[in-house]
């Protein structure tokens, strides 16, 4: 890898392996995972359930340490170090005793680098951008599922960390709300241009949102293919109707289907 490419990559994972051990039993989870994300890039990971995608986020965030391999963020190795990323889980995980406004500024408060009064104008701007200006003083239990996810994403945006790790944030939403959230996320991301690593089970979602896609195998997880998404930005939902979109979707689907069939055959042996 050239020095120029190394400088361009904000996040680099190099040959990560991880084995879970419990009561004498071993399960290889990750098998030499390597990937990279450039600054300002939107990269998705797609693969079967239980393939270690969320585990990979735990490694990047320092909650787990790999058996081997390196994690480099902005030129510095962070393998096994806690922090460094802004994480948005599958469920919003909002604090019920804090208002919407106080939930979104939580990460900056905990970071302690900026007084609360200085954070509020940026929080108010993003809440207004999300159509939530009238809910700033509301508590989470009064919000819909889509509104809670918007609050959770704004909290991630207000984190001091450049890298946003989004773990299937729209998976629990109904289809129409999910489509609305995808459009909203595209609009916000194209404005903010943060670095995003995104987990999804939806091929359509990955193609609509991403610059590149990593397709993962089942366990032990490896990268089956890296796919550059060729569609220009800005993107809209109508993109999913184009022949080029459908052809790329079919390619990914066939790749994942073949991998699943191989896994079934291996399990039967």
């Amino acid at each position: 890898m050239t020095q120029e490419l190394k400088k361009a990559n904000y996040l680099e994972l190099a040959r990560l392996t991880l084995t879970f051990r419990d009561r004498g039993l071993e399960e290889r989870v990750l098998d030499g995972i390597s990937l990279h994300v450039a600054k300002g890039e939107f990269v998705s990971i797609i693969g079967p359930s239980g393939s270690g995608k969320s585990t990979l986020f735990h490694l990047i965030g320092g909650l787990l340490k790999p058996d081997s391999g390196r994690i480099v963020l902005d030129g510095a190795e962070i393998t096994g170090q806690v922090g460094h990323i802004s994480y948005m889980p599958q469920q919003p995980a909002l604090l019920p005793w804090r208002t919407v406004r106080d939930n979104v500024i939580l990460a900056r408060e905990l970071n302690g680098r900026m007084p609360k009064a200085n954070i509020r104008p940026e929080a108010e701007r993003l809440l207004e951008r999300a159509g939530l200006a009238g809910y700033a003083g509301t508590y989470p239990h009064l919000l819909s599922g889509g509104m809670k996810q918007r609050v959770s994403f704004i909290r991630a945006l207000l984190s001091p960390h450049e890298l946003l790790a989004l773990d299937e944030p729209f998976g629990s939403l109904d289809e129409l709300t999910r489509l609305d959230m995808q459009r909203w996320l595209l609009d916000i991301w194209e404005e903010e241009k943060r670095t995003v690593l995104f987990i999804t089970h939806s091929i359509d979602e990955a193609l609509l949102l991403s610059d590149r896609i990593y397709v993962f195998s089942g366990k032990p997880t490896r990268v089956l293919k890296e796919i550059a998404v060729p569609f220009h930005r800005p993107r809209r939902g109508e993109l999913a109707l184009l022949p080029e979109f459908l052809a790329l979707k079919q390619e990914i689907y066939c790749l994942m289907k073949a991998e699943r069939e191989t896994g079934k055959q291996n399990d039967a042996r």
Side-chain angles (χ1 to χ4, degrees):
M1 185 178 295
T2 67
Q3 187 65 30
E4 182 180 355
L5 183 57
K6 287 182 179 178
K7 289 178 64 177
N9 291 337
Y10 187 74
L11 173 70
E12 295 184 67
L13 311 183
R15 300 178 299 281
L16 294 184
T17 65
L18 179 68
T19 300
F20 286 151
R21 298 172 175 87
D22 183 33
R23 300 177 184 179
L25 299 177
E26 293 189 352
E27 181 184 28
R28 175 64 67 91
V29 181
L30 303 179
D31 187 16
I33 295 290
S34 294
L35 60 81
H36 64 275
V37 185
K39 191 166 186 177
E41 191 178 25
F42 197 121
V43 174
S44 287
I45 298 171
I46 189 167
S49 297
S51 60
K53 300 183 297 296
S54 296
T55 299
L56 194 68
F57 277 4
H58 295 159
L59 289 168
I60 297 170
L63 300 178
L64 294 172
K65 189 172 182 179
D67 299 328
S68 62
R70 300 170 68 241
I71 303 171
V72 177
L73 186 71
D74 199 18
E77 183 169 355
I78 61 164
T79 311
Q81 298 179 23
V82 178
H84 304 288
I85 67 171
S86 178
Y87 176 62
M88 181 177 171
Q90 297 177 20
Q91 301 299 325
L94 303 176
L95 300 180
W97 60 87
R98 293 179 69 110
T99 64
V100 165
R101 181 189 297 107
D102 287 340
N103 263 286
V104 300
I105 65 175
L106 180 62
R108 284 285 183 91
E109 275 188 62
L110 294 176
N111 182 260
R113 296 181 183 177
M114 185 181 296
K116 185 186 292 189
N118 294 348
I119 308 169
R120 285 184 181 272
E122 179 67 4
E124 299 286 355
R125 181 186 73 82
L126 288 172
L127 286 172
E128 183 174 3
R129 183 77 175 79
L132 295 171
Y135 295 89
T138 301
Y139 289 90
H141 72 278
L142 296 173
L143 304 180
S144 68
M147 293 166 74
K148 289 177 182 177
Q149 289 299 78
R150 293 186 189 205
V151 173
S152 184
F153 182 69
I154 291 170
R155 181 174 62 188
L157 276 178
L158 283 171
S159 163
H161 304 301
E162 165 66 25
L163 177 64
L164 305 184
L166 310 183
D167 189 355
E168 203 180 355
F170 309 144
S172 62
L173 302 177
D174 65 82
E175 186 64 21
L176 289 177
T177 304
R178 183 171 186 153
L179 291 172
D180 285 341
M181 287 299 298
Q182 289 169 1
R183 287 191 290 267
W184 177 79
L185 176 57
L186 272 177
D187 289 341
I188 291 289
W189 178 80
E190 285 168 0
E191 180 180 308
E192 301 291 330
K193 285 296 182 184
R194 294 283 287 277
T195 306
V196 175
L197 189 58
F198 186 90
I199 289 175
T200 181
H201 283 103
S202 168
I203 299 174
D204 287 71
E205 186 168 76
L207 288 172
L208 178 65
L209 298 176
S210 311
D211 296 307
R212 287 183 300 111
I213 299 169
Y214 286 96
V215 183
F216 276 16
S217 72
K219 291 180 182 176
T221 303
R222 64 194 188 284
V223 175
L224 291 177
K225 191 168 185 177
E226 175 189 347
I227 295 173
V229 180
F231 310 118
H232 296 297
R233 298 186 185 274
R235 297 176 188 165
R236 294 295 177 261
E238 295 78 12
L239 176 66
L241 302 176
L242 296 180
E244 301 91 333
F245 185 99
L246 296 173
L248 197 50
K249 177 180 177 179
Q250 184 177 22
E251 177 187 341
I252 297 173
Y253 171 78
C254 291
L255 181 65
M256 295 177 66
K257 184 179 180 182
E259 168 63 17
R260 184 175 65 177
E261 294 303 319
T262 300
K264 287 181 178 178
Q265 292 172 10
N266 291 337
D267 290 341
R269 291 173 183 168

